[in-house]
Amino acid sequence: MKKKIFNIVIVAMAALFLFGCGKKEDSEKEEAKEAVKVEVATTGPTIDSIKEKGKIVLGTSADFPPMEWTSYQDGSEKYQGVDIALAQAIADSLGVELEVKNMAFEGLLGSLKAGDVDMVIAGMGADEERKKQVDFSEEYSKGKQVLLVTEENKDKFKTFDDLEGKIIGTQLGTLQQKFAEEKFGDNCKGFDLNNVIIEQLKNKSIDAAFLSELPAKQFASITDGLVIIDNLGIPDESGFAVAIKKGNDDLTKAVDEIVKGLKDSGQMEKWFDEYIELSNKEAIK
Ligand code: ARG
């Protein structure tokens, strides 16, 4: 009899312990979610229609770690990165699901203007020309741009003049494509995907790739034999921001507040650290 009571006590203690642990994990998860939750005024014609759909549709080009990339872990395909976390926080604040539409960077603003997506977050620089077509939130990251070359070329390109006659790869529709074409004309080659640019660089079909600094750093750190040149006096590009269709002012205002909140709380900076580390492990080599 004594033994039976003892057993019951042990089982009860184990159950309490397990239950307690589960609760702790749950509350930690909730706390983390709360930390990124930004309360915003969430009504207005666009927001109401998003709530009616029950989802907000993000347009992105998932080839740009650490901002966004396609990760293939455990056999499943998943979009990851700072921009995806930001999009998820926006969806959470509005109380809707997030749907991600992955497409070529060049097609993003067209899709936004056509209403195929509700917002574009793609490491997109808010430059004056784009501002004529769409609205942007406050910027959430500075935009530097650099040249990526193979190790053996690292000392050959010291000035812009050294790039004369060299083939420069850029992603179609980017600020880098525009800048490089103005500077180097026909020697620029445009590609849909950054992964393809990296392949071309590795197999020496192009001499240099011209990219935003953060992804260039990621590609250099996950690819053998690639190095960054950042002392050519290349001007900064515009800072990254969320793009929203002109006229959807209620959504622009809400997203603006969310971005500000995430910057002020330090969450945005945390995501940068977190996704730089994760993309070093997960992004395609
Ligand atoms: N920052 C550059 C631009 O705004 C390149 C962005 C490319 N983004 C991407 N997800 N592939 O034009």
Side-chain angles (χ1 to χ4, degrees):
M1 182 63 181
K2 245 192 185 167
K3 193 155 182 231
K4 203 169 172 198
I5 291 174
F6 179 73
N7 280 347
I8 290 171
V9 171
I10 293 287
V11 169
M13 273 171 68
L16 251 178
F17 179 72
L18 282 177
F19 183 67
C21 281
K23 262 199 126 165
K24 183 158 177 268
E25 245 174 45
D26 284 353
S27 73
E28 268 170 14
K29 263 191 204 151
E30 275 315 303
E31 265 171 37
K33 240 186 158 181
E34 278 307 307
V36 296
K37 202 159 181 195
V38 183
E39 294 299 336
V40 284
T42 53
T43 50
T46 321
I47 291 180
D48 290 346
S49 79
I50 286 170
K51 284 186 174 168
E52 225 157 84
K53 281 191 293 185
K55 63 177 183 189
I56 187 161
V57 184
L58 165 73
T60 196
S61 172
D63 63 342
F64 203 61
M67 306 314 294
E68 52 267 326
W69 74 93
T70 312
S71 118
Y72 301 93
Q73 299 296 306
D74 314 318
S76 67
E77 196 184 273
K78 194 176 166 202
Y79 302 118
Q80 287 278 30
V82 176
D83 288 343
I84 308 295
L86 170 57
Q88 187 63 58
I90 294 171
D92 291 345
S93 293
L94 302 183
V96 294
E97 293 293 310
L98 174 69
E99 180 183 323
V100 181
K101 279 195 182 169
N102 185 24
M103 61 187 85
F105 186 81
E106 198 178 24
L108 285 170
L109 287 188
S111 294
L112 185 64
K113 287 189 280 180
D116 294 339
V117 299
D118 299 308
M119 58 181 176
V120 165
I121 316 183
M124 180 176 273
D127 83 323
E128 292 310 313
E129 214 154 281
R130 287 176 181 155
K131 279 185 188 165
K132 288 183 197 151
Q133 308 176 52
V134 295
D135 285 334
F136 281 100
S137 71
E138 158 155 335
E139 294 174 7
Y140 58 85
S141 172
K142 297 247 169 305
K144 287 194 169 178
Q145 40 189 2
V146 297
L147 215 60
L148 196 58
V149 299
T150 51
E151 191 107 46
E152 69 209 55
N153 278 336
K154 78 170 193 279
D155 299 321
K156 288 196 190 137
F157 305 140
K158 295 220 160 59
T159 66
F160 278 129
D161 290 344
D162 299 332
L163 290 165
E164 277 300 324
K166 302 289 175 209
I167 312 274
I168 321 273
T170 57
Q171 184 173 32
L172 291 168
T174 59
L175 299 176
Q176 288 66 43
Q177 185 198 14
K178 200 171 138 211
F179 179 86
E181 272 181 3
E182 276 163 17
K183 205 98 195 144
F184 308 109
D186 289 346
N187 287 335
C188 294
K189 242 178 147 181
F191 299 91
D192 260 341
L193 291 173
N194 279 307
N195 306 349
V196 177
I197 301 182
I198 303 305
E199 280 310 310
Q200 296 277 314
L201 196 55
K202 283 199 297 190
N203 68 29
K204 302 191 176 47
S205 305
I206 59 175
D207 298 298
F210 186 38
L211 287 175
S212 299
E213 185 185 38
L214 268 176
K217 276 189 176 163
Q218 287 311 101
F219 285 122
S221 88
I222 61 179
T223 318
D224 284 342
L226 294 188
V227 289
I228 283 179
I229 299 184
D230 61 0
N231 57 358
L232 289 180
I234 299 171
D236 287 353
E237 66 166 315
S238 313
F240 302 162
V242 181
I244 289 165
K245 190 177 173 176
K246 275 198 186 296
N248 292 0
D249 297 343
D250 54 334
L251 182 61
T252 307
K253 194 163 167 276
V255 168
D256 209 39
E257 276 177 43
I258 294 168
V259 170
K260 276 190 199 126
L262 293 167
K263 277 166 66 177
D264 290 350
S265 67
Q267 180 60 50
M268 193 59 89
E269 221 179 298
K270 272 195 208 151
W271 278 334
F272 274 94
D273 293 343
E274 191 182 315
Y275 288 106
I276 284 173
E277 207 186 312
L278 192 65
S279 73
N280 274 336
K281 290 188 210 137
E282 283 194 359
I284 296 173
K285 309 219 176 210

